[in-house]
Amino acid sequence: MKFAAPFKMNKEESAITKVLGKAKYFGIYDDRTNEIKVIENKETGGPAIFLELAKEGVDILLTPHAGPGAVKAGIQTGIKLFYCGEERKLLLEAVKEFQEGNYPEITPENFQSFH
């Protein structure tokens, strides 16, 4: 499974940033290979990055924020969004917490709680 999260900086140890669509980078963790890859967000709007994440094979997006465009783009690309909280954390910490069942899924019905 591949997990992604918005990053501020172009490094594997970057903390997850609170912006989603305007994040400068995205970290992608592959739990099969235990590798992290960082890609640059070259898109100008939020939902467009989902196409890039889908090309990378991302299954799950861990984020502290998601608006209606992100939720719709997630549905269209098959990427599920989960709320990872507001506190500072690294991608691997967020993946571990997700695997422990600590994060709610962000859906069209509840996204206002995470916007």
Side-chain angles (χ1 to χ4, degrees):
M1 184 171 286
K2 286 190 178 180
F3 299 86
F7 279 13
K8 279 186 186 179
M9 298 182 288
N10 184 11
K11 59 184 199 176
E12 293 177 9
E13 297 83 27
S14 180
I16 295 173
T17 184
K18 292 185 179 172
V19 297
L20 177 57
K22 296 186 191 249
K24 294 183 188 269
Y25 302 95
F26 280 80
I28 301 171
Y29 172 70
D30 187 335
D31 69 356
R32 290 178 295 260
T33 63
N34 203 32
E35 294 178 350
I36 296 177
K37 174 182 183 178
V38 179
I39 62 168
E40 185 176 0
N41 182 4
K42 297 178 182 174
E43 305 301 331
T44 56
I49 188 60
F50 280 82
L51 296 175
E52 292 303 314
L53 294 174
K55 286 180 194 173
E56 294 286 341
V58 170
D59 303 292
I60 303 290
L61 178 63
L62 304 172
T63 181
H65 167 84
V71 173
K72 182 178 178 184
I75 291 168
Q76 291 172 339
T77 57
I79 298 172
K80 292 188 175 194
L81 284 74
F82 287 82
Y83 175 71
C84 66
E86 297 288 329
E87 62 279 351
R88 185 185 189 284
K89 65 184 73 171
L90 303 177
L91 178 55
L92 290 181
E93 292 170 320
V95 168
K96 182 177 184 260
E97 291 176 6
F98 168 83
Q99 291 171 332
E100 292 170 349
N102 295 331
Y103 296 158
E105 184 171 359
I106 302 171
T107 66
E109 294 76 33
N110 72 3
F111 80 89
Q112 295 89 349
S113 300
F114 311 106
H115 182 60

